[in-house]
Amino acid sequence: MDIDIKSIIAQMTLEEKAALCTGASAWSTTPIERLGVPEMIVSDGPHGVRRVPDIRAMGQKSLPATCFPTASCLASTWDVELIRQMGIALGEECIALNVDVLLGPGVNMKRSPLGGRNFEYFSEDPFLAGELAVNFINGVQSKGVGTSLKHYAANNQEFQRFSISAEVDDRTLHEIYLPAFEKAVKEAQPWTVMCSYNKVNGIFASEHNQLLNEILKDEWGFEGLVVSDWGAVRNRVAALKAGLDWEMPGPQDLRVKAVVEAVRSGELDEAILDESVRRILRIVYKARETPKGGTFDVDAHHDLARKIASEGIVLLKNDGLLPLSGQQHIAVIGRSAETAHFQGGGSSHINPTKVAMPFKELQSRAENAELTYAEGYPSDNSFRQDMIDEAVELARSADVALLYIALPTFKESEGYDRHDLDLTTQQIALIKAVSSVQPKTVVVLNNGAPVVMSDWLDGVSAVLEGWMMGQAGGVALADVLFGRINPSGKLGETFPLKMSDTPSHINWPGGAGKVSYGEGIFIGYRYYDAKEMPVLFPFGHGLSYTTFEYRNAKASASKFKDVDGVTVTVDVTNTGKLAGKEIVQLYVHDQKSGLVRPPKELKGFAKVELQPGETKTISIKLDFRSFAYYHPEHKQWITEDGDFDLLIGASSADIRCCLTVTLESTLDLPCILDIESTIREWMTDPRGRQVLGTLYEQIEMQTRKVFGETERYGNEKQPDTFEGFSMGLDIMDMMVDMPVVSVLMFQQEALTMPAEEMVAGLLRQVHSIK
């Protein structure tokens, strides 16, 4: 970049600087004509380019663009290269439509399946979401078009999203809600990061110095600009101080004046304003390097959308009915067969270049079979028995029934959360009625997040999860149903049995301006595993028309240092009769840790294509972070010496191989003992044990004496029963998790100094040890 940004800033007036930090329109930066500073145009994403003709309009119908599958479907592909290709295509469309920055991807965690915007987000797992985001960003930005990583941070519901405070502890924030952002920033450097509407622990995300300055810019090394979500800024000056560079939408004359006045009054250091100006100008000029205009290949991008949809479709259940073959009469039931349901409502809603209608695509592949159609359910929430009766008669006379069931927008959309996990009453009744007369029934779902199925699942032969499948999804569904494509998608989120099973259930959606993230680090499969709770379909689940065998799992070292990591290999063989793709998942389990950890966590995966009888060796590298957890007292990611299980599986619940390795931590952590530290914490800490160890025997002896146990227990082996003890228990079992200072309080008469002074002396000793 040859532009001298420092020189441009030096020539700018205070008013021009303030104006640049606020949008000129709904979709553009403020140009400064006298200095030759161009405008930069952004557009909604993330699964298509929602470019409106007039950049001053918010809700105008957008120009035609490819509607790719939404993020739920993308995550189910587990195919990072395919996501990168989609990013490249989106970049090409941005160039053709004169867009400099695409507002996506979204990497917020799916804390609850009720989240109305979940279809725009990848997963309940931060590692999977992060890997997909990196490749999405790298794909788009390889074309010289920017991205906007969103919505930072802890934006996990639509209820009161403009104001609610996500109350989340530091460890949970770092282990669950930040890692996907961190990975994307460090490995892909998105041009922009978009802050969320909500508060995080009482502070608006747009004014959150810790999130924007300390973590994003300083700790992670983010080089781009931070933009507000549209309308997320409450106090422009406070937001600038906290690291919010660019407020949208514009124009906002009063905000510009507020910034100017704050600088002149001394409330705002002009150096802070200059830093935001520098970041904005850097991206504006970076965008200008890519010439805009021309066209994009509509057909090629439509075909790519088809391929992505086919890779993301998940075969949830199959009693052997699929793939279809030889049926003479196929009953196609459900209005989404004739009116494709392929995207969600809200800011991501795309004006597609064309749409593949599922029924027509079935007809083109059905060869000599007769296809008949019944609507099955209405577009609204009314109950129509006549539609059910018509569908039942059609299904009764057919060889197989295909039920296309789409979760309607009035139940799932940006702007509001779902109230339940059910299909509509009409849809449930329809499935049960049809399957009762036609055992060969296939349910094809179009939805952005999990639905419950217990009422009808046992009565149908097969279930396909088609997601919000994009404009070419109708082709992909037909290809999978007729076996032209072997399904290979696997779930990027758990399907629970019922809503009350979900981790955040008792805290959702909050109230009185706050929502408690009381489940902590235990979201998604982490929670279900810890509770040993059955689910409808586990994280990572997905069936195929073939079968796969895992064997010969190996680790590159049985003992290794955390900084070196370890590589895991496993042989995967296609043991069936059809070519297919398998997604190998690698989870890590810490056998013993200082703080509680989930039973297992995804730390690697690979998608492999295999011909019948073919074997390939899969290799997955694990690094320091694969074994670490965030310690809130040390305020960093730490590893601990010990044994770890490496679990290789076809899903989180289908583990095929297990290896155990031993990690040696290279960290020399500082001592964090303080006045409130317990006996157990002192004796667990190496430095603490060194200092307290000799004194501990005296503390124990004196404690037993105080509570009348000296003669009865002394240093002898612990008895089987505490009958006859003065308190009916071993007193040290009670004392071990009390602060040392509190234990000493009970024996103050035997001490030569106050308990507080004694512990203060111990702390001076322990903190002096290097």
Side-chain angles (χ1 to χ4, degrees), residues 186 209-223 275 279:
K186 288 182 174 180
N209 183 68
Q210 180 194 16
L211 287 175
L212 302 183
N213 279 329
E214 294 177 10
I215 294 176
L216 177 63
K217 293 180 178 179
D218 297 340
E219 183 182 332
W220 297 348
F222 175 60
E223 299 171 357
E275 171 60 11
R279 285 178 177 266

Side-chain angles (χ1 to χ4, degrees), residues 71-83 122-125 127-129 131-132 135 308 311-314 467 488-493 525 538-542 582-587 602-608 649-652:
S72 298
C73 184
L74 301 183
S76 295
T77 71
W78 296 63
D79 192 327
V80 293
E81 173 56 26
L82 194 57
I83 304 308
F122 290 120
S123 179
E124 67 189 30
D125 183 83
F127 181 82
L128 177 58
E131 289 290 315
L132 297 173
N135 285 273
I308 295 168
E311 295 278 326
I313 291 170
V314 182
W467 305 109
S488 61
K490 296 201 176 189
L491 297 177
E493 56 198 295
Y525 68 89
F539 176 85
H541 169 77
E582 174 66 329
I583 298 165
V584 180
Q585 301 158 45
L586 177 56
Y587 299 85
L602 181 74
K603 297 299 178 181
F605 61 89
K607 190 166 188 174
V608 58
S651 81
S652 62

